[in-house]
Amino acid sequence: MVFEQIICKDDDEKFMLEALREASKGAAEGEVPVGAVIVKDGEIIARAHNRIEGDKMSSAHAEMVAIREAEKALAAKWLTGCTMYVTLEPCSMCAGALVLSRIERLVIGADDPKTGACGSLFNIASDERLNHRIEINRGVLGSECSAVLKDFFRERRG
């Protein structure tokens, strides 16, 4: 997919485009193409893509890697005032980590009806029983995010 042709209307689309670039890096490495960036005060403080295959770690999802990088960048355990942009709706592990990190906002590209835990299958990110809830914006560059995943799996299946 040629990302240079995407004209961004706002900051959410601008930063989702960066997450899409991360997803493409992952695809080039044979990873399922999910990308994430974390932004604070209008600046990207962390970026990541899936590294499950490369790191041989089941927890090396783009979101988990980005959370660790952001915490290092801020030298803090809480990501208050931060927004994560992720190309695919987080799973339950990642949604739980986002709640625990106290990230303020989550911008999702494509929904994940099979494992999504931010509104599709579960809603960990907004569960009132937990000590923190995350503001969510869904569907930002959703068709582009879905296309990256569909193209990857179409090529894999040959």
Side-chain angles (χ1 to χ4, degrees), residues 120-140:
S120 290
L121 185 61
F122 304 109
N123 200 347
I124 293 169
S126 300
D127 193 314
E128 292 185 5
R129 296 170 293 180
L130 300 176
N131 68 326
H132 178 73
R133 280 159 295 294
I134 302 167
E135 176 188 334
I136 299 174
N137 184 12
R138 314 178 78 79
V140 174

Side-chain angles (χ1 to χ4, degrees), residues 40-84:
K40 184 172 176 105
D41 300 326
E43 299 292 325
I44 295 174
I45 61 167
R47 55 177 65 236
H49 54 273
N50 276 355
R51 296 195 330 215
I52 297 162
E53 301 300 327
D55 290 358
K56 305 285 186 256
M57 291 179 63
S58 60
S59 64
H61 291 199
E63 301 96 323
M64 300 294 284
V65 176
I67 288 168
R68 285 192 297 272
E69 293 300 317
E71 289 168 343
K72 283 182 202 171
L74 297 175
K77 62 182 177 179
W78 308 131
L79 298 179
T80 52
C82 293
T83 299
M84 175 180 280

Side-chain angles (χ1 to χ4, degrees), residues 10-13 15-17 19-20 34-37 63 83-92 94-95 98 103-113 115-126 134-146 149:
D10 56 28
D11 281 348
D12 279 355
E13 288 188 359
F15 291 122
M16 186 60 74
L17 184 56
L20 273 165
V34 176
V37 298
E63 301 96 323
T83 299
M84 175 180 280
Y85 295 84
V86 64
T87 58
L88 181 65
E89 180 180 356
C91 68
S92 56
C94 295
L98 287 164
I103 202 149
E104 188 171 315
R105 203 166 159 257
L106 176 64
V107 180
I108 300 168
D111 288 340
D112 185 352
T115 64
C118 296
S120 290
L121 185 61
F122 304 109
N123 200 347
I124 293 169
S126 300
I134 302 167
E135 176 188 334
I136 299 174
N137 184 12
R138 314 178 78 79
V140 174
L141 298 182
S143 58
E144 292 85 352
C145 293
S146 291
L149 287 158

